[in-house]
């Protein structure tokens, strides 16, 4: 049997969660849906969390983008996909991703390609470059960033 939570318990759990780490509104909605919280209670809780700045999708987006670039070494496309999955509005995504300096992506991708180049077995430079490009694309980097890094790698 599933435990049901009162509105106050839901609010307490979610405020504690949001105070501990950044979360987006979609994550909170998913939690409340899993807990089978009625929609009208969900609406009141979300309003409270937003008004008291426990949840701010733009602040979440900034932290998410920064962490994914710095720690996960993801490119813009992979970050965009993850933000889409978290239902972050497109205008917030574009604003936050637009603030990222393309040189940040280049400084992340160059060492990744250098390390990957050492571990790839290829019969030709064409095959090697193809594998490196696929690797970079899987990490979410755009072709223009990949080409800038590949040109330097080949010199």
């Amino acid at each position: 049997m599933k435990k049901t939570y009162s509105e106050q318990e839901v609010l307490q759990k979610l405020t504690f969660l949001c105070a501990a780490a950044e979360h987006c509104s979609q994550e909170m909605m998913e939690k409340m849906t899993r807990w089978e919280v009625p929609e009208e209670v969900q609406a009141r809780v979300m309003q409270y969390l937003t008004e008291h700045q426990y949840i701010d999708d733009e602040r979440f987006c900034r932290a998410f983008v920064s962490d994914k670039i710095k720690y996960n070494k993801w490119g813009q496309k992979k970050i965009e996909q993850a933000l889409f999955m978290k239902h972050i509005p497109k205008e917030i995504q574009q604003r936050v991703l637009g603030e990222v300096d393309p040189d940040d992506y280049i400084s992340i991708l160059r060492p990744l390609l250098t390390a990957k180049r050492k571990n790839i077995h290829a019969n030709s430079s064409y095959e090697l470059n193809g594998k490196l490009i696929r690797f970079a694309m899987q990490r979410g980097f755009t072709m223009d960033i990949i080409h800038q890094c590949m040109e330097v790698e080949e010199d």
Side-chain angles (χ1 to χ4, degrees):
M1 190 166 131
K2 205 165 195 169
K3 183 180 190 295
T4 56
Y5 297 106
S6 70
E7 184 171 343
Q8 197 56 42
E9 288 174 317
V10 169
L11 192 58
Q12 186 177 15
K13 283 174 148 310
L14 294 182
T15 53
F16 179 76
L17 199 62
C18 291
E22 284 295 336
H23 292 280
C24 65
S25 50
Q26 180 64 26
E27 292 170 340
M28 298 301 102
M29 293 298 289
E30 286 172 1
K31 283 195 180 305
M32 288 189 284
T33 301
R34 247 190 335 264
W35 296 339
E36 298 176 357
V37 175
E39 284 185 26
E40 64 275 0
V41 173
Q42 286 185 24
R44 286 194 298 270
V45 168
M46 288 304 293
Q47 183 178 357
Y48 177 88
L49 292 173
T50 304
E51 284 176 0
H52 291 86
Q53 296 180 342
Y54 284 100
I55 293 178
D56 180 342
D57 282 345
E58 187 163 344
R59 187 179 65 214
F60 168 82
C61 188
R62 285 182 199 292
F64 186 86
V65 168
S66 173
D67 286 354
K68 295 304 174 190
I69 291 171
K70 196 178 299 174
Y71 302 115
N72 297 66
K73 302 189 183 330
W74 284 5
Q76 181 176 346
K77 295 296 178 190
K78 192 164 184 172
I79 294 170
E80 282 175 0
Q81 184 64 34
L83 291 172
F84 173 80
M85 297 299 288
K86 294 196 174 285
H87 301 272
I88 301 298
K90 195 76 172 157
E91 59 273 4
I92 292 175
Q93 289 182 38
Q94 289 172 339
R95 185 169 46 249
V96 172
L97 286 168
E99 294 169 0
V100 177
D101 186 347
D103 290 341
D104 292 349
Y105 293 121
I106 291 170
S107 67
I108 296 283
L109 184 56
R110 275 197 183 126
L112 286 175
L113 289 176
T114 302
K116 187 71 174 173
R117 183 180 292 273
K118 294 174 186 172
N119 299 323
I120 290 181
H121 302 289
N123 297 323
S124 67
S125 63
Y126 178 80
E127 184 182 352
L128 175 70
N129 287 338
K131 288 181 177 185
L132 287 172
I133 289 170
R134 277 193 297 284
F135 166 76
M137 289 181 80
Q138 288 172 343
R139 301 294 296 221
F141 292 94
T142 58
M143 280 308 292
D144 61 322
I145 299 291
I146 294 169
H147 281 300
Q148 287 179 45
C149 292
M150 295 289 287
E151 288 169 8
V152 169
E153 288 288 314
E154 291 168 1
D155 291 343

